[in-house]
Coordinates of all heavy atoms in Angstrom, one line a residue:
M1 N -0.4 22.3 40.6 CA -0.2 22.6 39.2 C -0.1 21.3 38.4 O 0.6 20.4 38.7 CB 1.1 23.4 39.0 CG 1.3 24.0 37.6 SD 2.8 24.9 37.6 CE 2.1 26.5 37.2
P2 N -0.9 21.2 37.3 CA -0.9 19.9 36.6 C 0.4 19.7 35.8 O 1.1 20.7 35.4 CB -2.0 20.0 35.6 CG -2.4 21.5 35.5 CD -1.9 22.1 36.8
A3 N 0.8 18.5 35.7 CA 2.1 18.2 34.9 C 1.9 18.6 33.5 O 0.8 18.4 32.9 CB 2.4 16.7 35.0
P4 N 2.9 19.1 32.9 CA 2.8 19.5 31.5 C 2.6 18.3 30.6 O 3.2 17.2 30.9 CB 4.2 20.2 31.1 CG 5.1 19.8 32.2 CD 4.3 19.4 33.4
Q5 N 1.8 18.4 29.6 CA 1.5 17.3 28.7 C 2.6 17.3 27.6 O 3.1 18.3 27.2 CB 0.1 17.6 28.0 CG -1.0 17.6 28.9 CD -1.2 16.2 29.5 OE1 -1.2 15.2 28.8 NE2 -1.5 16.1 30.8
P6 N 3.0 16.1 27.3 CA 4.1 16.0 26.3 C 3.5 16.5 24.9 O 2.3 16.3 24.7 CB 4.4 14.5 26.2 CG 3.2 13.8 26.9 CD 2.6 14.8 27.8
R7 N 4.3 17.1 24.1 CA 3.9 17.5 22.8 C 3.6 16.3 22.0 O 4.3 15.3 21.9 CB 5.0 18.3 22.2 CG 5.1 19.7 22.7 CD 6.1 20.4 21.8 NE 5.7 21.8 21.7 CZ 6.4 22.7 21.1 NH1 7.5 22.4 20.5 NH2 5.9 23.9 21.1
R8 N 2.5 16.4 21.3 CA 2.1 15.4 20.4 C 2.8 15.6 19.1 O 2.8 16.7 18.5 CB 0.6 15.4 20.1 CG -0.2 14.9 21.4 CD -1.6 14.9 21.1 NE -1.9 14.0 20.0 CZ -3.1 13.9 19.4 NH1 -4.1 14.8 19.7 NH2 -3.3 13.1 18.4
R9 N 3.4 14.6 18.6 CA 4.1 14.7 17.3 C 3.1 14.5 16.2 O 2.3 13.6 16.3 CB 5.2 13.7 17.2 CG 6.3 13.9 18.2 CD 7.3 12.9 18.1 NE 8.4 13.5 17.3 CZ 9.4 12.9 16.8 NH1 9.6 11.6 16.9 NH2 10.3 13.6 16.2
P10 N 3.1 15.4 15.2 CA 2.2 15.1 14.1 C 2.4 13.8 13.4 O 3.6 13.3 13.4 CB 2.4 16.3 13.1 CG 3.7 16.9 13.6 CD 4.0 16.5 14.9
T11 N 1.4 13.2 12.9 CA 1.5 11.9 12.2 C 2.2 12.2 10.9 O 1.8 13.1 10.2 CB 0.1 11.3 12.0 OG1 -0.5 11.1 13.2 CG2 0.3 10.0 11.2
P12 N 3.3 11.5 10.6 CA 4.0 11.8 9.4 C 3.2 11.3 8.2 O 2.4 10.4 8.3 CB 5.3 11.0 9.5 CG 5.0 9.9 10.5 CD 3.9 10.5 11.4
C13 N 3.4 12.0 7.1 CA 2.8 11.6 5.8 C 3.5 10.4 5.4 O 4.7 10.3 5.3 CB 2.9 12.7 4.8 SG 1.9 14.2 5.2
R14 N 2.8 9.3 5.1 CA 3.4 8.0 4.8 C 3.2 7.5 3.4 O 3.7 6.5 3.0 CB 2.9 7.0 5.8 CG 3.3 7.3 7.2 CD 2.7 6.4 8.2 NE 2.8 7.0 9.5 CZ 3.3 6.3 10.5 NH1 3.6 5.1 10.4 NH2 3.4 6.9 11.7
S15 N 2.4 8.2 2.7 CA 2.1 7.8 1.3 C 2.0 9.0 0.4 O 1.9 10.1 0.8 CB 0.7 7.0 1.3 OG -0.3 7.9 1.5
K16 N 2.0 8.6 -0.9 CA 1.9 9.7 -1.9 C 0.6 10.4 -1.7 O 0.5 11.7 -1.8 CB 2.0 9.1 -3.3 CG 1.8 10.1 -4.4 CD 1.9 9.5 -5.8 CE 1.6 10.5 -6.8 NZ 1.6 10.0 -8.2
A17 N -0.5 9.7 -1.5 CA -1.8 10.3 -1.3 C -1.8 11.2 -0.1 O -2.4 12.3 -0.2 CB -2.9 9.2 -1.1
D18 N -1.1 10.9 1.0 CA -1.0 11.8 2.2 C -0.3 13.1 1.8 O -0.8 14.2 2.2 CB -0.2 11.1 3.3 CG -0.9 10.0 3.9 OD1 -2.1 9.8 3.8 OD2 -0.2 9.1 4.6
W19 N 0.8 13.0 1.0 CA 1.5 14.2 0.6 C 0.7 15.0 -0.3 O 0.7 16.3 -0.2 CB 2.9 13.8 0.0 CG 3.9 13.7 1.1 CD1 4.3 12.5 1.7 CD2 4.7 14.7 1.7 NE1 5.3 12.8 2.6 CE2 5.5 14.2 2.6 CE3 4.7 16.1 1.5 CZ2 6.4 14.9 3.4 CZ3 5.5 16.9 2.3 CH2 6.4 16.3 3.2
V20 N 0.1 14.4 -1.3 CA -0.7 15.2 -2.2 C -1.8 15.9 -1.5 O -2.1 17.1 -1.7 CB -1.3 14.3 -3.4 CG1 -2.4 15.0 -4.2 CG2 -0.2 13.8 -4.3
A21 N -2.5 15.2 -0.6 CA -3.6 15.8 0.2 C -3.1 17.0 1.0 O -3.7 18.1 1.1 CB -4.3 14.8 1.1
L22 N -1.9 16.8 1.7 CA -1.3 17.9 2.5 C -1.0 19.1 1.6 O -1.3 20.2 2.0 CB 0.0 17.4 3.1 CG 0.8 18.4 3.9 CD1 0.1 18.9 5.1 CD2 2.2 17.9 4.2
L23 N -0.4 18.9 0.5 CA 0.0 20.0 -0.4 C -1.3 20.7 -1.0 O -1.3 21.9 -1.1 CB 0.9 19.5 -1.5 CG 2.3 19.1 -1.1 CD1 3.1 18.5 -2.3 CD2 3.1 20.2 -0.5
Q24 N -2.3 19.9 -1.3 CA -3.5 20.5 -1.7 C -4.2 21.4 -0.7 O -4.7 22.5 -0.9 CB -4.5 19.4 -2.3 CG -4.0 18.9 -3.6 CD -4.9 17.7 -4.0 OE1 -5.5 17.0 -3.2 NE2 -4.9 17.4 -5.3
R25 N -4.2 20.9 0.6 CA -4.7 21.7 1.7 C -3.9 22.9 1.9 O -4.5 24.0 2.3 CB -4.7 20.8 3.0 CG -5.8 19.8 3.0 CD -6.0 19.2 4.4 NE -4.8 18.7 5.0 CZ -4.3 17.5 4.9 NH1 -4.9 16.6 4.1 NH2 -3.2 17.1 5.5
A26 N -2.7 22.9 1.6 CA -1.8 24.1 1.7 C -2.0 25.0 0.5 O -1.4 26.1 0.4 CB -0.4 23.7 1.8
G27 N -2.8 24.6 -0.5 CA -3.1 25.5 -1.6 C -2.4 25.2 -2.9 O -2.4 26.0 -3.8
F28 N -1.6 24.1 -2.9 CA -0.8 23.8 -4.1 C -1.7 23.2 -5.2 O -2.6 22.4 -4.9 CB 0.2 22.7 -3.8 CG 1.5 23.2 -3.1 CD1 1.4 23.9 -1.9 CD2 2.7 23.0 -3.6 CE1 2.5 24.3 -1.2 CE2 3.9 23.4 -3.0 CZ 3.8 24.1 -1.8
D29 N -1.5 23.7 -6.4 CA -2.2 23.0 -7.5 C -1.2 22.1 -8.2 O 0.0 22.0 -7.8 CB -2.8 24.1 -8.5 CG -1.8 25.0 -9.1 OD1 -0.6 24.7 -9.1 OD2 -2.2 26.0 -9.7
E30 N -1.6 21.5 -9.3 CA -0.7 20.6 -10.0 C 0.6 21.2 -10.5 O 1.7 20.7 -10.3 CB -1.4 20.0 -11.2 CG -2.3 18.9 -10.9 CD -1.7 17.6 -10.3 OE1 -0.6 17.2 -10.7 OE2 -2.3 17.1 -9.3
A31 N 0.6 22.4 -11.0 CA 1.8 23.1 -11.5 C 2.7 23.4 -10.3 O 3.9 23.3 -10.4 CB 1.4 24.4 -12.2
E32 N 2.1 23.8 -9.2 CA 3.0 24.1 -8.0 C 3.6 22.9 -7.4 O 4.8 22.9 -7.0 CB 2.2 24.9 -6.9 CG 1.8 26.3 -7.4 CD 0.7 26.9 -6.6 OE1 -0.3 26.2 -6.2 OE2 0.8 28.1 -6.4
M33 N 2.9 21.7 -7.5 CA 3.5 20.5 -7.0 C 4.6 20.1 -7.9 O 5.7 19.6 -7.5 CB 2.4 19.4 -6.9 CG 1.5 19.6 -5.7 SD 0.4 18.2 -5.5 CE -1.1 18.9 -5.9
Q34 N 4.4 20.3 -9.2 CA 5.5 20.0 -10.2 C 6.7 20.8 -9.9 O 7.9 20.4 -9.9 CB 5.0 20.2 -11.6 CG 6.1 19.9 -12.7 CD 6.5 18.4 -12.6 OE1 5.8 17.5 -12.3 NE2 7.8 18.2 -13.0
R35 N 6.5 22.1 -9.6 CA 7.6 23.0 -9.3 C 8.3 22.6 -8.0 O 9.5 22.7 -7.9 CB 7.0 24.5 -9.2 CG 8.0 25.5 -9.5 CD 7.4 26.9 -9.8 NE 6.3 27.3 -9.0 CZ 5.0 27.4 -9.5 NH1 4.8 27.1 -10.8 NH2 4.0 27.8 -8.8
W36 N 7.5 22.1 -7.0 CA 8.1 21.6 -5.8 C 9.1 20.5 -6.1 O 10.2 20.4 -5.6 CB 7.0 21.2 -4.9 CG 7.4 20.7 -3.5 CD1 7.6 21.4 -2.4 CD2 7.8 19.3 -3.2 NE1 8.0 20.6 -1.4 CE2 8.1 19.3 -1.8 CE3 7.8 18.1 -3.9 CZ2 8.5 18.2 -1.1 CZ3 8.1 17.0 -3.2 CH2 8.5 17.0 -1.8
H37 N 8.6 19.5 -7.0 CA 9.5 18.4 -7.3 C 10.7 18.9 -8.1 O 11.9 18.4 -7.9 CB 8.8 17.4 -8.2 CG 7.9 16.5 -7.4 ND1 8.4 15.4 -6.6 CD2 6.6 16.4 -7.3 CE1 7.4 14.8 -6.1 NE2 6.3 15.3 -6.5
Q38 N 10.6 19.9 -9.0 CA 11.7 20.4 -9.7 C 12.7 21.0 -8.8 O 13.9 20.8 -9.0 CB 11.2 21.5 -10.7 CG 10.4 20.9 -11.9 CD 9.7 22.0 -12.7 OE1 9.5 23.1 -12.2 NE2 9.3 21.6 -13.9
E39 N 12.3 21.8 -7.8 CA 13.2 22.4 -6.8 C 13.9 21.3 -6.0 O 15.1 21.4 -5.8 CB 12.5 23.4 -5.9 CG 12.0 24.6 -6.6 CD 13.2 25.5 -7.1 OE1 14.2 25.6 -6.4 OE2 13.0 26.1 -8.1
F40 N 13.2 20.4 -5.5 CA 13.8 19.3 -4.7 C 14.8 18.5 -5.6 O 15.9 18.3 -5.1 CB 12.6 18.3 -4.3 CG 13.0 17.5 -3.1 CD1 11.9 16.8 -2.4 CD2 14.3 17.3 -2.6 CE1 12.2 16.0 -1.3 CE2 14.5 16.5 -1.5 CZ 13.5 15.8 -0.9
E41 N 14.5 18.2 -6.8 CA 15.4 17.4 -7.7 C 16.6 18.2 -8.0 O 17.7 17.7 -8.0 CB 14.7 17.1 -9.0 CG 15.5 16.2 -9.9 CD 15.8 14.8 -9.4 OE1 15.0 14.2 -8.6 OE2 16.8 14.2 -9.8
Q42 N 16.5 19.6 -8.2 CA 17.6 20.4 -8.5 C 18.5 20.6 -7.3 O 19.7 20.5 -7.4 CB 17.1 21.8 -9.0 CG 18.3 22.7 -9.4 CD 17.8 24.0 -9.9 OE1 16.6 24.4 -9.7 NE2 18.6 24.7 -10.6
Q43 N 17.9 20.8 -6.1 CA 18.7 21.1 -4.9 C 19.3 19.8 -4.2 O 20.4 19.9 -3.6 CB 17.9 21.8 -3.9 CG 17.6 23.2 -4.3 CD 16.8 24.0 -3.3 OE1 16.8 23.6 -2.1 NE2 16.1 25.1 -3.7
D44 N 18.6 18.7 -4.3 CA 19.1 17.5 -3.7 C 18.5 16.2 -4.4 O 17.6 15.6 -3.9 CB 18.6 17.5 -2.2 CG 19.1 16.3 -1.4 OD1 19.9 15.5 -1.9 OD2 18.7 16.2 -0.2
P45 N 19.1 15.9 -5.5 CA 18.6 14.8 -6.3 C 18.6 13.5 -5.6 O 17.6 12.8 -5.6 CB 19.6 14.7 -7.5 CG 20.4 16.0 -7.5 CD 20.3 16.6 -6.2
A46 N 19.6 13.2 -4.8 CA 19.6 11.9 -4.0 C 18.5 11.9 -3.0 O 17.8 10.9 -2.8 CB 21.0 11.7 -3.4
G47 N 18.4 13.1 -2.3 CA 17.3 13.2 -1.3 C 15.9 13.1 -1.9 O 15.0 12.5 -1.3
H48 N 15.7 13.6 -3.0 CA 14.5 13.6 -3.7 C 14.1 12.1 -4.0 O 13.0 11.6 -3.8 CB 14.5 14.4 -5.0 CG 13.2 14.5 -5.7 ND1 13.0 14.5 -7.0 CD2 11.9 14.7 -5.2 CE1 11.8 14.7 -7.4 NE2 11.1 14.7 -6.3
G49 N 15.1 11.4 -4.6 CA 14.9 10.0 -4.8 C 14.6 9.2 -3.6 O 13.7 8.3 -3.6
R50 N 15.3 9.4 -2.5 CA 15.1 8.7 -1.2 C 13.7 9.0 -0.7 O 12.9 8.1 -0.3 CB 16.1 9.1 -0.2 CG 17.4 8.5 -0.3 CD 18.3 8.7 0.9 NE 18.5 10.1 1.2 CZ 19.5 10.9 0.7 NH1 20.3 10.4 -0.2 NH2 19.6 12.2 1.1
F51 N 13.3 10.3 -0.8 CA 11.9 10.7 -0.4 C 10.9 9.9 -1.2 O 9.9 9.3 -0.6 CB 11.7 12.2 -0.6 CG 10.3 12.6 -0.5 CD1 9.7 12.8 0.8 CD2 9.6 13.0 -1.6 CE1 8.4 13.2 0.9 CE2 8.2 13.4 -1.4 CZ 7.7 13.5 -0.2
L52 N 11.0 9.9 -2.5 CA 10.0 9.2 -3.3 C 10.0 7.7 -3.0 O 8.9 7.1 -3.0 CB 10.3 9.4 -4.8 CG 10.2 10.9 -5.3 CD1 10.7 11.1 -6.7 CD2 8.7 11.4 -5.2
R53 N 11.1 7.1 -2.8 CA 11.2 5.6 -2.5 C 10.6 5.4 -1.1 O 9.9 4.4 -0.9 CB 12.6 5.1 -2.6 CG 13.1 5.0 -4.0 CD 14.4 4.3 -4.2 NE 15.5 4.9 -3.4 CZ 16.2 5.9 -3.8 NH1 16.0 6.5 -5.0 NH2 17.2 6.4 -3.1
A54 N 10.8 6.3 -0.2 CA 10.2 6.2 1.1 C 8.7 6.2 1.1 O 8.1 5.6 2.0 CB 10.7 7.3 2.1
L55 N 8.1 6.8 0.1 CA 6.6 6.8 0.0 C 6.1 5.4 -0.5 O 4.9 5.2 -0.6 CB 6.2 7.9 -1.0 CG 6.5 9.3 -0.6 CD1 6.0 10.3 -1.7 CD2 5.8 9.6 0.7
G56 N 7.1 4.6 -0.9 CA 6.7 3.2 -1.3 C 6.3 3.2 -2.8 O 5.6 2.2 -3.3
L57 N 6.7 4.2 -3.6 CA 6.4 4.2 -5.0 C 7.2 3.2 -5.7 O 8.4 2.9 -5.4 CB 6.7 5.6 -5.6 CG 5.9 6.8 -5.0 CD1 6.4 8.1 -5.6 CD2 4.4 6.6 -5.1
P58 N 6.7 2.6 -6.8 CA 7.4 1.6 -7.6 C 8.6 2.4 -8.3 O 8.5 3.6 -8.6 CB 6.4 1.1 -8.6 CG 5.3 1.9 -8.5 CD 5.3 2.7 -7.2
A59 N 9.7 1.7 -8.6 CA 10.8 2.3 -9.2 C 10.5 3.0 -10.5 O 11.0 4.1 -10.8 CB 11.9 1.2 -9.5
S60 N 9.5 2.5 -11.3 CA 9.2 3.1 -12.5 C 8.5 4.5 -12.3 O 8.7 5.4 -13.0 CB 8.2 2.2 -13.3 OG 7.0 2.0 -12.6
Q61 N 7.7 4.6 -11.2 CA 7.1 5.8 -10.9 C 8.1 6.9 -10.4 O 8.0 8.0 -10.7 CB 5.9 5.7 -10.0 CG 5.0 6.9 -9.9 CD 3.8 6.6 -9.0 OE1 3.7 5.7 -8.3 NE2 2.8 7.5 -9.2
V62 N 9.0 6.4 -9.6 CA 10.1 7.3 -9.1 C 10.9 7.8 -10.3 O 11.1 9.0 -10.3 CB 11.0 6.5 -8.1 CG1 12.3 7.4 -7.8 CG2 10.3 6.2 -6.8
L63 N 11.2 7.0 -11.2 CA 11.9 7.4 -12.4 C 11.1 8.4 -13.2 O 11.7 9.5 -13.6 CB 12.3 6.2 -13.3 CG 12.9 6.5 -14.6 CD1 14.3 7.1 -14.4 CD2 13.1 5.2 -15.4
G64 N 9.9 8.2 -13.4 CA 9.0 9.1 -14.1 C 8.9 10.5 -13.4 O 9.0 11.5 -14.1
I65 N 8.7 10.5 -12.1 CA 8.6 11.8 -11.4 C 9.9 12.5 -11.5 O 10.0 13.7 -11.8 CB 8.2 11.5 -9.9 CG1 6.8 11.0 -9.9 CG2 8.4 12.8 -9.1 CD1 6.4 10.5 -8.5
R66 N 11.0 11.8 -11.3 CA 12.3 12.5 -11.3 C 12.7 13.0 -12.7 O 13.2 14.1 -12.9 CB 13.4 11.6 -10.8 CG 13.2 11.3 -9.3 CD 14.3 10.5 -8.7 NE 15.5 11.4 -8.6 CZ 16.7 11.0 -8.5 NH1 17.0 9.7 -8.4 NH2 17.7 11.9 -8.4
R67 N 12.3 12.2 -13.8 CA 12.6 12.7 -15.1 C 11.7 13.9 -15.4 O 12.2 14.9 -16.0 CB 12.3 11.6 -16.1 CG 13.4 10.5 -16.1 CD 13.1 9.4 -17.1 NE 13.2 10.0 -18.4 CZ 14.0 9.5 -19.4 NH1 14.7 8.4 -19.1 NH2 14.1 10.0 -20.5
A68 N 10.5 13.9 -15.0 CA 9.6 15.0 -15.3 C 10.1 16.3 -14.5 O 10.1 17.4 -15.1 CB 8.2 14.7 -14.8
A69 N 10.7 16.1 -13.3 CA 11.2 17.2 -12.5 C 12.4 17.8 -13.2 O 12.7 19.0 -13.0 CB 11.5 16.7 -11.1
R70 N 13.1 17.0 -14.0 CA 14.3 17.5 -14.7 C 13.9 18.0 -16.1 O 14.8 18.4 -16.9 CB 15.4 16.4 -14.8 CG 16.0 16.0 -13.5 CD 17.2 15.1 -13.7 NE 16.9 13.8 -14.3 CZ 16.6 12.7 -13.6 NH1 16.7 12.6 -12.3 NH2 16.4 11.6 -14.3
G71 N 12.6 17.9 -16.4 CA 12.2 18.4 -17.7 C 12.4 17.4 -18.8 O 12.3 17.8 -20.0
Q72 N 12.6 16.2 -18.5 CA 12.8 15.1 -19.5 C 11.5 14.4 -19.7 O 10.7 14.2 -18.7 CB 13.9 14.1 -19.0 CG 15.2 14.8 -18.8 CD 16.2 13.8 -18.2 OE1 15.8 12.8 -17.6 NE2 17.5 14.2 -18.2
A73 N 11.2 13.9 -20.9 CA 10.0 13.1 -21.1 C 10.2 11.8 -20.4 O 11.2 11.2 -20.4 CB 9.9 12.9 -22.6
A74 N 9.1 11.4 -19.8 CA 9.1 10.1 -19.1 C 8.9 9.0 -20.1 O 8.1 9.1 -21.0 CB 8.0 10.0 -18.0
P75 N 9.6 7.9 -20.0 CA 9.4 6.7 -20.9 C 7.9 6.2 -20.7 O 7.3 6.4 -19.7 CB 10.4 5.7 -20.4 CG 11.3 6.4 -19.5 CD 10.6 7.6 -19.0
P76 N 7.4 5.6 -21.7 CA 6.0 5.0 -21.6 C 5.9 4.1 -20.4 O 6.8 3.4 -20.0 CB 5.9 4.2 -22.9 CG 6.9 4.7 -23.8 CD 8.0 5.2 -23.0
G77 N 4.8 4.3 -19.7 CA 4.5 3.5 -18.5 C 5.1 4.0 -17.2 O 5.1 3.4 -16.2
T78 N 5.8 5.2 -17.3 CA 6.5 5.7 -16.1 C 6.0 7.1 -15.7 O 6.6 7.9 -15.1 CB 8.0 5.8 -16.2 OG1 8.3 6.7 -17.3 CG2 8.6 4.4 -16.4
A79 N 4.8 7.4 -16.2 CA 4.2 8.8 -16.0 C 4.2 9.1 -14.5 O 3.9 8.2 -13.6 CB 2.8 8.8 -16.5
P80 N 4.4 10.3 -14.1 CA 4.5 10.7 -12.7 C 3.2 10.4 -11.9 O 3.3 10.1 -10.7 CB 4.7 12.2 -12.7 CG 5.3 12.5 -14.1 CD 4.8 11.4 -15.0
R81 N 2.1 10.5 -12.5 CA 0.8 10.3 -11.7 C 0.3 9.0 -12.2 O -0.2 8.2 -12.3 CB -0.2 11.4 -11.9 CG 0.3 12.5 -11.1 CD -1.0 13.4 -10.8 NE -0.8 14.1 -9.6 CZ -1.4 13.9 -8.5 NH1 -2.3 12.9 -8.4 NH2 -1.2 14.6 -7.4

């Protein structure tokens, strides 16, 4: 009987582009991605911030995404996309 093969771990999404592509493949449109950010920000603001920083986003973009998720206008130059 052959030895069982170890489970391959999926490659983690490491960039914003990876996450956007994953969500799009799952059927998310722009409005649904915004709603995802809103839920994340509401349920775990600190975790949402850590997640965005872990993607390597500049601080200004993290601020813009988080403000948009809270329904606040983003300051000039900090647009979420």
Side-chain angles (χ1 to χ4, degrees):
M1 186 179 244
Q5 295 295 315
R7 281 190 148 175
R8 290 181 59 195
R9 300 181 96 191
T11 303
C13 294
R14 297 172 193 230
S15 70
K16 178 182 175 182
D18 290 341
W19 272 97
V20 169
L22 173 69
L23 292 173
Q24 288 173 336
R25 285 192 309 271
F28 281 58
D29 63 16
E30 282 296 320
E32 291 164 322
M33 286 187 250
Q34 180 62 30
R35 209 163 35 254
W36 183 89
H37 280 288
Q38 289 168 343
E39 290 294 325
F40 200 167
E41 184 68 26
Q42 183 178 19
Q43 291 183 18
D44 185 3
H48 187 219
R50 283 191 304 273
F51 169 76
L52 295 170
R53 287 188 302 277
L55 294 177
L57 301 178
S60 62
Q61 194 172 17
V62 170
L63 175 64
I65 292 169
R66 294 189 69 198
R67 287 180 68 124
R70 292 190 299 262
Q72 300 171 343
T78 62
R81 282 202 155 253

